[in-house]
Amino acid sequence: MKRNFLIVLSFLILLAIGLTAILYLDKKDVKMSYPSFLEAVDRAQVAEVIVNEADNNTFQAKLKNDSSLYTVPNPKTENFTEYLLLNKIEVNYGKENVLGGLLKVFLVVGIAVLVFWYIKNGQNSGITKNVNKKNWKRLFSTPTKKEADAKSITLAQVAGNIEAKSMVEDIISFIQNPDKYSAVGARMPKGLLLYGPPGTGKTLMAKAIAGEAGVPFFAMSGSDFVQMYVGVGASRIRNLFNKAKKSDKAVIFIDEIDAIGKKRARNVSASNDERDQTLNALLTEMSGFHDNQGIIVIGATNRLDTLDEALLRPGRFDRHIEIGLPDVNARKHILSLYANKKPLSDDVDLEDLAKSTVYFSGAMLETLINEAAINAGNQMEPIITKEHIDKAFYTVIAGAPKTDRSYITEKDRRITAYHESGHALATTLLLPEHFISKVTIIPSVRGAGGFNLSIPKDTMFQSRRQLKANIQVLLAGRAAEELIFGSEEITTGASNDIQKASRLIADYLDKYGMDAELGLFSVEALEEGHDSRLISKCRAFMNSTYEETRKTIEENLPLLERITSELLEKESLNGTDIERICA
Ligand code: ADP
Ligand code: ZN
């Protein structure tokens, strides 16, 4: 606080000096009598006369070779201007000078603000950030946005999340009817925290609460509050709450609340003043309104465990509702919500589509249907076919396919084909319960050479066998490359697989306690993290699993060859193709 005060003070002093300099040095105001003025005109010393229309008792004169402005009594004679013009004196009217002065004042203020901002930012992070367009825009834009678009949204538009919906129903009734609850001494939760993966409908749910309760919706994102001047975040919070309070009852939604309320790092004494101020302002505002006033604050975050405990205490965000990825029924519901008004061909089965979109979020499903519609539109076709959906599927999973593939060498194509066939073969052999949705060597604009998509069964648990098989499937791409091209020719294409496999192995051994020798104790449960014994065990496990995988592929080399040659020919295969080849 003290430091901030000092900064503000020096800023003000700077401003004062700047203004004084401009007013006194530049615009030295000297009086001149009318006769001396006429004399100066006669000697052709006058360069310019400025007549101020607002105050025409005097005018100002500028002499050649003299920077001063002379104030001269205005004779107000009829032909004065003509007289000046005939003497080749420039005549100007109005506030030009005042305007120029104002411009200069703005310049000084602007520079001071910039300097101040620069200092502030540098102080926060230790490094100075780029002054990018976005920051500028944010800096000068008015805080709240998207206020009135929630009115029409209802809970029926939120698919799945049945438990979450039942948990928000009483909140809605609370907002509508606080008196009913006050009568029995119930206190309405002031804050509601929605947490879960991105794109699962947290924002949608918050809007639905406002829509169902019939109250205004005020939304901001946590990132709007940070990376600002000192105090701006806090004042934006106060603004937001003031606006909401004006409408009596309201839903205030703060997306990405972790940007303000992240846990303070331990052992770091230099705290982030700005964020703390913002957080404190939020907490103060929340305790400021009456219990049963009918205002509720809804925060959304991807991760609950990173939030500062101060936010989670009773009287603050004391109700936590998980919004999860949709299960197969919810996916079907979401798909039919978005496919509802679109013409689907008969070969599109939403039930099948729901089954093959495990791990898709609601937002991804919405994009899937929309991309499919765009594909149909691009081809000027009146209905959405399975083909359009397949293409959209690819786009959602891997990004748009590259259309120009002329630069890809035959060697690269072959490597990719063996690699992807390796994954597909391992899936067929080791995880028969998975449904292979697509194997392709069509590269995507995101940089993948090709990809493999297999859909696991929608189950609650994974068995030890399945976990291990998953690791082997990940390693099978590299194993196939090595078997075909030799250990000197293996490529960087497996890096993503290796990362994922390593993570899975660490989970297998540590988090899930599935290794007999290491036992059930989990190092991850300790905050200190890594233990060298676990790491060497992970390495050994990785190596032996890789060997096993290579052996499995080697024993089935003819199948690998057959999948690869068909893949090279057709570029994409689906589950039935693989089944046919392996039968
Ligand atoms: P979040 O806030 O969790 O990141 P959003 O609410 O912004 O997610 O969801 C983005 C879009 O995805 C929504 O506007 C909606 O179109 C769609 N969506 C996501 N989840 C669902 C759901 N459960 N039901 C219906 N639509 C959903
Ligand atoms: Zn791979």
Side-chain angles (χ1 to χ4, degrees), residues 419-420 423 474 477-478 493-494 497:
H419 181 108
E420 298 305 334
H423 287 309
L474 284 168
R478 163 63 67 87
D497 298 335

Side-chain angles (χ1 to χ4, degrees), residues 5-26:
F5 177 68
L6 274 178
I7 291 173
V8 172
L9 198 71
S10 44
F11 161 65
L12 286 177
I13 291 171
L14 211 90
L15 195 69
I17 292 174
L19 285 175
T20 320
I22 280 176
L23 292 173
Y24 279 78
L25 294 179
D26 197 1

Side-chain angles (χ1 to χ4, degrees), residues 423-567:
H423 287 309
L425 179 60
T427 310
T428 315
L429 297 172
L430 304 167
L431 277 171
E433 65 268 47
H434 277 216
F435 164 73
I436 295 181
S437 163
K438 198 165 203 135
V439 185
T440 170
I441 55 168
I442 300 174
S444 83
V445 285
R446 282 192 211 154
F451 74 86
N452 230 279
L453 185 73
S454 75
I455 310 289
K457 274 229 166 68
D458 232 338
T459 52
M460 240 193 274
F461 306 113
Q462 274 203 297
S463 69
R464 177 172 165 163
R465 174 188 62 79
Q466 286 169 323
L467 259 180
K468 201 168 161 198
N470 268 314
I471 298 167
Q472 289 185 284
V473 167
L474 284 168
L475 297 176
R478 163 63 67 87
E481 281 183 49
E482 192 187 337
L483 278 168
I484 302 296
F485 301 100
S487 58
E488 287 302 313
E489 295 298 316
I490 53 175
T491 69
T492 50
S495 75
N496 195 15
D497 298 335
I498 294 172
Q499 300 279 319
K500 282 192 195 153
S502 303
R503 238 166 277 141
L504 264 186
I505 287 175
D507 286 348
Y508 178 96
L509 296 176
D510 190 58
K511 193 172 176 183
Y512 306 132
M514 286 181 175
D515 183 66
E517 198 189 313
L518 280 176
L520 294 179
F521 185 80
S522 166
V523 179
E524 198 193 84
L526 306 174
E527 298 214 9
E528 297 316 317
H530 308 296
D531 132 300
S532 56
R533 183 152 160 255
L534 176 62
I535 292 178
S536 59
K537 187 81 196 176
C538 286
R539 283 230 160 80
F541 189 91
M542 175 67 102
N543 292 340
S544 65
T545 312
Y546 179 72
E547 284 311 317
E548 269 176 58
T549 311
R550 206 176 50 181
K551 235 175 98 204
T552 311
I553 303 278
E554 198 167 12
E555 283 160 7
N556 293 279
L557 220 47
L559 287 181
L560 183 77
E561 293 289 0
R562 253 182 276 164
I563 299 175
T564 308
S565 71
E566 213 169 309
L567 196 53

Side-chain angles (χ1 to χ4, degrees), residues 304-348:
L304 193 59
D305 57 341
T306 57
L307 286 184
D308 196 317
E309 277 95 28
L311 272 177
L312 306 176
R313 273 185 220 127
R316 291 163 178 181
F317 288 94
D318 44 10
R319 194 178 282 201
H320 309 158
I321 298 180
E322 179 174 4
I323 310 284
L325 285 175
D327 62 15
V328 63
N329 291 328
R331 288 199 299 273
K332 189 171 168 223
H333 188 172
I334 296 173
L335 286 170
S336 49
L337 269 181
Y338 292 110
N340 185 23
K341 289 194 190 93
K342 300 193 170 72
L344 289 184
S345 91
D346 291 339
D347 64 354
V348 179

Side-chain angles (χ1 to χ4, degrees), residues 157-159 161 198-204 334 338 362-363 366:
Q157 280 165 265
V158 186
N161 294 304
T200 45
K202 296 182 287 295
T203 312
L204 191 67
I334 296 173
Y338 292 110
E366 198 250 353

